[in-house]
């Protein structure tokens, strides 16, 4: 059985500062670092000792720091891939969330959603965002390694999962797989039918054991 463990990075400075994340290169907060340690320990308890593990991560600082904690317990160095980044909000990145809220053009309930222009200069369309995550996933899943870990962002998780279940990218306009910051999502592919399962979405039980500080 192939298993893919998808990590959404824990608390970062943009969360507590109330600014737009996206490609804004925020860092983990001290609480986020403690959560990353708990994530790493939880993954270590789920993957058999001696199993080969691949680790892939977005190249933004908050995901890299998370991946470093995971890599430490497995003795692997994360492979960084900018295609696993969060959606780019263009000029809104790093600005107050209220700035974006005042300008954001919501997608229509019916009609074209993947190429929808959200009204912010430089922001990615959902189509561009999805295609780059799908491309990263295609490459990751070409590997024969049976235990793979992907460290990404809460928004991009949707397209990791959609790609995993082979949803056509043009059909992803309404897709949304939501998970909390610092969660793990477990995806299985069986060896007989090669069906792909979303075994657990947005698990945060490991955060209950994160040390206070």
């Amino acid at each position: 059985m192939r298993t893919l463990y998808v990590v959404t990075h824990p608390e970062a400075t943009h969360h507590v500062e109330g600014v737009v994340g996206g490609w804004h290169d925020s860092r983990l907060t001290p609480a986020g670092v403690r959560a990353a340690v708990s994530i790493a320990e939880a993954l270590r308890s789920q993957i058999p000792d001696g199993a080969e593990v691949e680790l892939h991560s977005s190249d933004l600082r908050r995901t890299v720091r998370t991946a470093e904690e995971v890599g430490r317990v497995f003795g692997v160095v994360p492979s960084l891939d900018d295609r696993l980044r969060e959606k780019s909000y263009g000029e809104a990145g790093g600005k107050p969330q209220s700035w974006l809220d005042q300008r954001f053009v919501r997608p229509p309930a019916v009609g074209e959603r993947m190429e929808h222009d959200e009204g912010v200069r430089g922001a990615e369309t959902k189509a561009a965002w999805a295609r780059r995550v799908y491309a990263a996933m295609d490459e990751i899943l070409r590997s024969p390694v049976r235990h793979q870990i992907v460290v990404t962002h809460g928004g991009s998780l949707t397209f990791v999962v959609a790609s995993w279940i082979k949803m056509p990218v043009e059909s992803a306009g309404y897709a949304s797989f939501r998970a909390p910051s610092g969660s793990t999502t477990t995806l299985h592919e069986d060896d007989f039918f090669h069906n792909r399962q979303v075994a657990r979405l947005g698990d945060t039980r490991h955060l209950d054991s994160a040390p206070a500080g």
Side-chain angles (χ1 to χ4, degrees), residues 87-108:
K87 168 184 165 64
S88 171
Y89 288 92
E91 65 177 341
K95 286 185 167 64
Q97 183 65 44
S98 58
W99 188 96
L100 175 59
D101 293 343
Q102 292 167 8
R103 294 162 175 80
F104 188 79
V105 178
R106 292 183 296 173

Side-chain angles (χ1 to χ4, degrees), residues 37 39-44 67-76:
V37 172
I39 291 165
E41 292 171 349
L43 291 172
R44 176 65 282 180
E68 286 172 349
E69 290 298 334
V70 174
R72 179 179 56 79
V73 301
F74 289 102
V76 297

Side-chain angles (χ1 to χ4, degrees), residues 45-209:
S45 71
Q46 295 175 60
I47 297 177
D49 290 341
E52 184 179 3
V53 174
E54 275 187 358
L55 175 58
H56 302 270
S57 175
S58 156
D59 66 339
L60 296 178
R61 288 183 292 187
R62 56 195 185 268
T63 42
V64 171
R65 184 70 180 84
T66 306
E68 286 172 349
E69 290 298 334
V70 174
R72 179 179 56 79
V73 301
F74 289 102
V76 297
V77 176
S79 174
L80 304 185
D81 191 334
D82 62 4
R83 295 173 298 180
L84 294 171
R85 288 183 178 189
E86 186 58 286
K87 168 184 165 64
S88 171
Y89 288 92
E91 65 177 341
K95 286 185 167 64
Q97 183 65 44
S98 58
W99 188 96
L100 175 59
D101 293 343
Q102 292 167 8
R103 294 162 175 80
F104 188 79
V105 178
R106 292 183 296 173
V110 178
E112 176 53 57
R113 294 169 60 88
M114 294 298 285
E115 297 290 354
H116 171 70
D117 182 349
E118 296 173 348
V120 178
R121 186 174 60 192
E124 283 185 299
T125 62
K126 196 170 187 179
W129 180 19
R131 288 187 188 111
R132 64 172 165 82
V133 176
Y134 271 54
M137 286 294 294
D138 285 347
E139 190 170 313
I140 288 167
L141 295 176
R142 281 199 288 269
S143 168
V145 174
R146 298 170 72 84
H147 295 277
Q148 295 172 294
I149 301 168
V150 172
V151 183
T152 186
H153 306 260
S156 292
L157 172 70
T158 283
F159 298 122
V160 171
V161 175
S163 171
W164 172 258
I165 62 175
K166 294 187 176 290
M167 178 185 291
V169 69
E170 61 271 14
S171 299
Y174 291 92
S176 179
F177 296 95
R178 302 303 299 169
S181 298
S183 69
T184 60
T185 290
T186 305
L187 309 173
H188 291 313
E189 179 182 354
D190 74 79
D191 292 333
F192 188 82
F193 292 105
H194 296 285
N195 290 332
R196 290 185 173 182
Q197 177 186 4
V198 181
R200 184 172 290 124
L201 178 67
D203 187 4
T204 58
R205 290 174 295 176
H206 50 276
L207 298 182
D208 295 336
S209 62

